[in-house]
Amino acid sequence: MIIQKSREEIELMRESALIVSKTLGMLAKEVKPGITTLKLDKLAEEFIRDHGAEPGFLGMYDFPNSLCMSPNAQVVHGIPNDEPLKEGDIISIDCGALKNGFYGDHAYTFAIGEIDAETQKLLKVTKECLYHGIREFKIGNRVGDVGFAIQQHAEKNGFGVVRELVGHGLGAKMHEDPEMPNYGKRGRGKKFVEGMVVAIEPMINAGTHRIKQLRDGWTILTADNKPSAHFEHDVALIDGKPELLSTFSYIYEALGISSDEEEEFIAHTLK
């Protein structure tokens, strides 16, 4: 069942989402060769708590940490460890926060130093897939319209779309209806309604769409060990159109990147 949110609830969710955004922005300054994912995890937990929230992932389904840290061929759900990041790596950092009874949940894939051209393309296309999907999250459309847009853009660029892992509704629970696959057919699936909030999160592989799982019960990898990228935003359906609750702007500020990619999804009252 889709749980519609009031404007007041959406504003509370925006607070939670922005704590995650700020956490990722803080981490952007720290993600460099030599740092460990466990160190980044500790920094994130402290930052989230200092901002009056609780880490959204810590203890959820018995997950042991505050961040899912998934480098290179890991798709999602990687567990932080003591292995230092290296020049040329990429890493998906997925973060959640709980405040005022609502969750924020989004992700960004970072390049560690200089990365090769094909991996640069993977990151670029995956982020483009995210915005193609968000654009289809509007009144009159259905779940399949978002998935179709993401799948079409990824596959026309020669990349694989993970099937087994999906985006989701978001609210008082981390995972609500509807599931939001990154593949699909236009006009299929649940209809979008005013007040919905979803996490749209393309998980795109450089090679095959197939995946495998490590014995730790969490870490998901590409079946061919080629790199995977993951970007995620929290999006509310307001006045029939998609509005971002999360932002990558803190990341871009930390990295000195100029971008207007989010402009069309920001309410004029917030600009």
Side-chain angles (χ1 to χ4, degrees), residues 197-263:
V197 179
V198 297
I200 297 176
E201 50 178 322
M203 290 158 270
I204 308 299
N205 299 343
T208 180
H209 68 81
R210 294 182 175 84
I211 58 173
K212 55 188 177 183
Q213 187 173 43
L214 288 184
R215 291 181 181 178
D216 63 19
W218 283 103
T219 307
I220 303 296
L221 297 93
T222 59
D224 57 8
N225 292 315
K226 291 185 177 181
S228 182
H230 174 215
F231 292 89
E232 177 181 17
H233 267 314
D234 299 339
V235 194
L237 193 51
I238 299 176
D239 294 331
K241 297 181 292 186
E243 183 176 313
L244 289 182
L245 304 184
S246 55
T247 178
F248 293 148
S249 62
Y250 298 104
I251 296 172
Y252 295 157
E253 182 180 355
L255 299 179
I257 295 172
S258 178
S259 172
D260 62 358
E261 66 192 21
E262 298 178 0
E263 186 71 17

Side-chain angles (χ1 to χ4, degrees), residues 114-124 159:
E114 294 295 323
I115 60 175
D116 65 73
E118 185 63 16
T119 306
Q120 286 179 349
K121 180 183 176 184
L122 173 67
L123 268 57
K124 177 178 180 290
F159 298 134

Side-chain angles (χ1 to χ4, degrees), residues 49 55-67 103 218:
R49 294 191 189 280
F57 296 166
L58 184 62
M60 180 174 286
Y61 313 124
D62 295 324
F63 188 74
N65 295 90
S66 298
L67 299 176
Y103 283 95
W218 283 103

Side-chain angles (χ1 to χ4, degrees), residues 13-14 21 64 108 160 174-175 233 265:
M13 293 193 69
R14 193 189 306 276
S21 300
Y108 191 90
M174 177 69 76
H175 300 108
H233 267 314
F265 308 113

